[in-house]
Amino acid sequence: MAEPEGAELEAIRAHRDELRETYLRPLADRPPSKVRGVHHLALVCQDVEETIRFYQDFLGFPLVELVENRDYAGSSHFFFDIGNRNLLGFFDFPGLGNPPYEETIGAVQHLALSIDREQFDEAKAKLDAAGVDYLGPDRGADDSIYLRDPNGVGLELYREDLGVFEGTPLINE
């Protein structure tokens, strides 16, 4: 798939500017959200144990529950604590024959996780020591490390406060 260029790219950029002008309210004029936050994000994994080892043992996210999925016999549903009362959940679906991860409409492109400077440096050193492939900090994103979990899920370890993007607060406190 080729990236747009020329007139097509300019039209896309102009449309984005129109959307921003039409829908993006100034921070002071934005109403509060109607929800309390994300309870959990549920993703699909290939291998429960490999996923637990990656998230708990390698990244340091405590496993907080592991039960059978109520909607699919034999399937596991499990959760990791990712801080601030947020959970990252996974299902496996034995026998279903799920295809490998593919970046497509409806798929998770990546999950950005807020970490501080010390955690960022520790994570980078740990990834380097383990020989895990990642991108960053580069590409003009000095505060990000991008990697894939064993299931192909994109993760961004983002050295930025919650609710802030590139130094700009996006939400009222």
Side-chain angles (χ1 to χ4, degrees), residues 5-137:
E5 49 187 37
E8 180 184 12
L9 178 58
E10 291 308 313
I12 290 168
R13 288 176 172 161
H15 183 64
R16 182 182 309 109
D17 289 343
E18 290 170 14
L19 292 172
R20 186 180 301 109
E21 184 65 31
T22 302
Y23 297 106
L24 185 62
R25 297 176 185 167
L27 183 60
D29 297 339
R30 289 182 209 152
S33 177
K34 301 287 185 189
V35 299
R36 294 184 293 188
V38 173
H39 182 277
H40 70 276
L41 174 66
L43 304 172
V44 178
C45 73
Q46 278 184 314
D47 182 305
V48 173
E49 186 172 3
E50 179 181 39
T51 301
I52 291 171
R53 283 194 316 261
F54 179 79
Y55 282 95
Q56 179 168 264
D57 298 344
F58 187 70
L59 291 182
F61 304 163
L63 180 69
V64 296
E65 183 61 282
L66 173 58
V67 298
E68 184 162 340
N69 177 1
R70 64 179 172 242
D71 301 321
Y72 188 100
S75 169
S76 294
H77 190 191
F78 54 106
F79 298 93
F80 299 96
D81 175 356
I82 58 170
N84 287 306
R85 302 180 58 83
N86 293 284
L87 300 169
L88 177 59
F90 284 91
F91 291 100
D92 71 334
F93 293 102
L96 194 58
N98 287 321
Y101 172 81
E102 180 180 352
E103 191 168 296
T104 187
I105 302 299
V108 173
Q109 203 280 333
H110 74 272
L111 173 62
L113 301 166
S114 174
I115 61 177
D116 64 27
R117 178 172 298 280
E118 182 179 326
Q119 292 167 322
F120 187 89
D121 294 340
E122 288 173 10
K124 187 175 180 316
K126 192 170 190 178
L127 292 167
D128 288 339
V132 174
D133 289 333
Y134 63 88
L135 295 174

